[in-house]
Amino acid sequence: AELENFEKSGLPLRRPNSMNNYGVLVNEMGMSGFMTRLQEEITQPISSVLFPVQGEWLDHHHSFSVRYTAGEDLGLDMHSDDSDVTFNTCLGKPGFTAAGLTFCGIMGRPDHRLFKHRYVHAAGRCVVHLGRQRHGADDISEGTRVNLIMWNKSQAFRASTLSNPPYQQEEAEPSEQCLSYTHDRDFGRHKEMTSKQRQHARGWCPPKGFEFQG
């Protein structure tokens, strides 16, 4: 309700990130303190257990909501997050359908573009993953889905050599569901690109010479 009220208030809104067009920057609506306490008491302890390298010293965050519905954003192309550990909580609304989140490999690893798991959102449930893990949201087919997302970040981890390992050559042809029309320079070799997708294409991945050579 607070997210909806803020959106209807007439106050200026910034996009939550570079790919989503609809949502709210939670830190800008007076909830920064609450989200920081949430990080200290909830996301930090969980992250340190699940991902002890990336999540041991979380010290800041980018928190926002995203909304998917007909006539707005329907889904989200494959991407990775500007976070070290991401917490993605589904707030609803009840009645939405087609709420899959497809996970592939870790950025820069040989399995970066290979399918790993398909997660299905349900209201009240949270999925936790590394920011560098490639993932994308299926198009919603009915209703409205709102998610609260916290990009947890660690200055200590980002200052270490572990945060930027050498890019590794792909071990196999990419899985079709893991391709990104936004980021993959070879998307058109695997799938036909629509004119709308072409408008967003800024392909760089994988770097030249690191694609599968088989």
Side-chain angles (χ1 to χ4, degrees):
E2 289 301 322
L3 295 173
E4 290 182 345
N5 290 337
F6 189 76
E7 287 188 275
K8 295 175 182 177
S9 68
L11 294 171
L13 297 174
R14 289 194 294 144
R15 291 174 59 186
N17 57 62
S18 62
M19 296 184 72
N20 287 97
N21 295 298
Y22 299 91
V24 172
L25 290 172
V26 177
N27 291 353
E28 294 186 355
M29 55 177 288
M31 295 183 65
S32 177
F34 170 79
M35 298 305 293
T36 296
R37 184 175 177 183
L38 183 69
Q39 181 181 65
E40 294 170 349
E41 298 185 3
I42 304 296
T43 67
Q44 163 72 72
I46 293 174
S47 297
S48 65
V49 172
L50 296 179
F51 307 110
V53 175
Q54 299 87 348
E56 184 176 7
W57 300 106
L58 302 178
D59 52 26
H60 60 296
H61 59 86
H62 177 64
S63 300
F64 55 93
S65 69
V66 294
R67 184 175 70 243
Y68 300 98
T69 192
E72 298 180 353
D73 289 337
L74 295 176
L76 197 60
D77 186 29
M78 280 285 156
H79 64 284
S80 57
D81 297 337
D82 182 18
S83 79
D84 298 317
V85 183
T86 296
F87 280 66
N88 184 339
T89 304
C90 181
L91 304 180
K93 302 179 177 178
F96 62 85
T97 57
L101 192 62
T102 298
F103 286 98
C104 305
I106 303 295
M107 168 83 74
R109 294 185 184 174
D111 64 351
H112 177 207
R113 297 194 293 173
L114 296 182
F115 174 77
K116 299 298 181 182
H117 180 70
R118 184 176 182 273
Y119 172 83
V120 178
H121 283 293
R125 286 173 52 185
C126 177
V127 59
V128 183
H129 62 88
L130 290 174
R132 290 176 65 88
Q133 184 158 17
R134 176 172 277 213
H135 58 287
D138 296 349
D139 283 358
I140 196 166
S141 57
E142 190 174 329
T144 299
R145 177 165 62 83
V146 178
N147 285 56
L148 177 64
I149 299 173
M150 177 184 275
W151 286 356
N152 294 273
K153 306 182 183 187
S154 167
Q155 291 182 354
F157 172 68
R158 293 185 172 212
S160 74
T161 57
L162 295 173
S163 67
N164 191 28
Y167 208 101
Q168 298 175 279
Q169 189 165 1
E170 293 184 317
E171 64 186 26
E173 290 282 5
S175 304
E176 184 173 316
Q177 62 267 56
C178 292
L179 290 167
S180 167
Y181 59 81
T182 304
H183 303 293
D184 292 348
R185 61 183 179 82
D186 59 353
F187 181 91
R189 185 166 70 85
H190 300 282
K191 296 176 69 175
E192 185 175 353
M193 186 179 291
T194 67
S195 58
K196 183 177 181 180
Q197 289 173 339
R198 200 175 301 279
Q199 295 174 11
H200 298 279
R202 50 181 185 271
W204 65 270
C205 180
K208 288 186 178 181
F210 289 90
E211 62 272 12
F212 177 62
Q213 300 293 332

